[in-house]
Amino acid sequence: MTALGARGCWNLVRLFSLALIGVTVSACQTTSPVSRVPIGMTVHVRDADTANLKRQFDLMAEMKVTWVRVDINWSSIEAGQSQLNWDYPDAVFEQAGAHGMKVMAVLAFSPGWANASTTIPWAPTSHARPDDPASFANFAHVAAQRYAAKGVGAWEIWNEPNTRKFWRPNADAGQYGDLFRAATDAIRKVDSRATVLIGGLAPLPDEAGAGIAPTEYLEQLYASGTAQLADGVAVHPYTFPDLPLDSHRQPVGAFGDLPALHAVMERHGDGRKKVWVTEFGAPTGTGPTAVSEKDQTLTLVQARQQVARWEWAGPLLYYELVDGGTDPSDVEKNFGVLREDLSPKPAADALMESESQWWW
């Protein structure tokens, strides 16, 4: 598509988005004035070389990205005990620093040697929680020593712990609370000003035993005294294949339930703390839950406009920057706003537009 054609197509998308939001936003809108909300991207290095990674960051700068979210995956960094490889996060942090972007580090997962009693045959070993929270805390301490002075603005402890997929064999707020408290204490011994977040809570799939609803899970964390120690709560309120303001069709814990999650925080005296949207997006392609490139664009724009209306929400970090592959039928590989060759999808073009052209 020519540059003029792409811009003309985006203008039509923008007008459609504004019309749709005008009809549906009343259910979510607060009385607070519209304000800008910082945006970020999840970055996966994969096989990118230095030039490719620099290009990714250059493109993020054009999209006005100010936050970068990167995995500090214990299972890959210390696959062999006492044999640490920091190449992945080092490469991302170097580019983030060079581009003046803040870093959110996601501390998660455990190597096989640290989770022998928590693994189960049908689950990826890397997703297992560690046998001993103290071992995870030790890794968190080492990571904080390495990166606290290199631009880490926030630490997200674990990924979607309220789901069975990422907390084996079943979601357990008590077990997660033990891990969170240990890791938080370890990080703050290195950096007393660190921002530490409850790991991104996810919507529940429509299947028995999938996990615990975010509001209920957070209530349990308050009951144990865990949530009070956090500086905020991270969420991953995906809605695809539906748009974020189509609240009547969303799963439990999705975008439309964010006010209810913040209400839990308010009831416990934490209303001043933010709900950080640390993953949000939609996959393109031909997969069963994929969306069109137009709807991916609408998803990102609608979410940003609505989060800006919630004074208690933000930043908003999209998932993710670059597609993980070229197979259009694989949903997990098509969340990027950039294709694998780094060519922009319409969603990336929209973020590069002057905000005054699509903000209302």
Side-chain angles (χ1 to χ4, degrees):
M1 183 179 293
T2 66
L4 179 61
R7 186 175 297 275
C9 179
W10 163 239
N11 286 336
L12 290 175
V13 169
R14 173 165 50 87
L15 290 173
F16 178 73
S17 176
L18 296 183
L20 180 61
I21 291 169
V23 172
T24 60
V25 75
S26 59
C28 298
Q29 192 168 357
T30 71
T31 57
S32 61
V34 175
S35 61
R36 300 301 188 261
V37 58
I39 62 169
M41 287 284 176
T42 295
V43 174
H44 290 119
V45 174
R46 299 189 174 98
D47 295 324
D49 57 22
T50 301
N52 182 286
L53 190 59
K54 180 180 183 302
R55 177 59 179 157
Q56 292 183 35
F57 273 81
D58 289 345
L59 289 167
M60 281 195 289
E62 291 185 44
M63 289 182 253
K64 297 112 180 157
V65 166
T66 58
W67 279 91
V68 177
R69 182 173 180 265
V70 60
D71 295 332
I72 298 187
N73 183 340
W74 186 22
S75 69
S76 61
I77 290 173
E78 196 178 4
Q81 193 166 6
S82 300
Q83 301 173 21
L84 285 78
N85 183 340
W86 300 98
D87 289 352
Y88 186 128
D90 278 356
V92 176
F93 285 20
E94 180 180 355
Q95 288 297 328
H99 287 78
M101 297 176 185
K102 299 177 183 179
V103 175
M104 166 171 287
V106 186
L107 284 169
F109 311 138
S110 62
W113 56 265
N115 62 32
S117 69
T118 62
T119 56
I120 48 182
W122 50 268
T125 301
S126 62
H127 288 178
R129 59 180 173 83
D131 292 332
D132 182 4
S135 64
F136 184 81
N138 182 65
F139 175 72
H141 182 85
V142 173
Q145 286 181 317
R146 187 177 186 88
Y147 293 123
K150 295 185 179 182
V152 175
W155 300 85
E156 185 176 351
I157 308 301
W158 212 260
N159 180 71
E160 303 181 3
N162 67 309
T163 68
R164 181 174 61 182
K165 180 178 180 180
F166 289 107
W167 194 272
R168 307 296 191 177
N170 294 296
D172 187 311
Q175 292 173 348
Y176 173 74
D178 292 341
L179 181 138
F180 180 88
R181 291 191 298 272
T184 298
D185 182 62
I187 291 168
R188 288 184 174 149
K189 283 180 178 177
V190 176
D191 180 7
S192 62
R193 297 175 298 175
T195 296
V196 185
L197 306 175
I198 298 295
L201 304 180
L204 297 186
D206 186 17
E207 60 183 69
I212 303 172
T215 52
E216 179 184 347
Y217 194 83
L218 187 58
E219 286 281 13
Q220 293 178 21
L221 292 177
Y222 274 113
S224 68
T226 299
Q228 292 88 333
L229 301 176
D231 297 296
V233 178
V235 292
H236 302 167
Y238 289 107
T239 62
F240 67 91
D242 298 312
L243 296 172
L245 300 183
D246 292 343
S247 59
H248 62 289
R249 298 202 299 177
Q250 293 179 15
V252 173
F255 193 84
D257 287 338
L258 293 185
L261 188 71
H262 186 254
V264 173
M265 299 165 69
E266 286 185 312
R267 287 197 297 273
H268 291 276
D270 274 348
R272 72 190 185 283
K273 296 179 181 178
K274 289 287 191 83
V275 174
W276 293 54
V277 183
T278 57
E279 279 190 27
F280 193 72
T284 58
T286 60
T289 55
V291 303
S292 67
E293 292 188 347
K294 180 189 77 172
D295 279 351
Q296 184 191 47
T297 304
L298 288 174
T299 295
L300 270 58
V301 171
Q302 282 190 7
R304 189 176 187 186
Q305 290 170 333
Q306 184 55 47
V307 168
R309 282 175 157 70
W310 289 326
E311 60 185 2
W312 42 264
L316 168 61
L317 283 70
Y318 296 122
Y319 188 91
E320 63 179 321
L321 180 63
V322 183
D323 281 346
T326 57
D327 179 359
S329 67
D330 188 334
V331 169
E332 292 296 330
K333 293 183 178 180
N334 288 277
F335 278 87
V337 299
L338 303 176
R339 302 178 183 88
E340 192 181 44
D341 64 2
L342 303 190
S343 61
K345 298 178 186 178
D349 289 332
L351 295 175
M352 292 178 189
E353 291 278 341
S354 170
E355 291 185 40
S356 63
Q357 295 188 46
W358 54 268
W359 206 279
W360 95 101

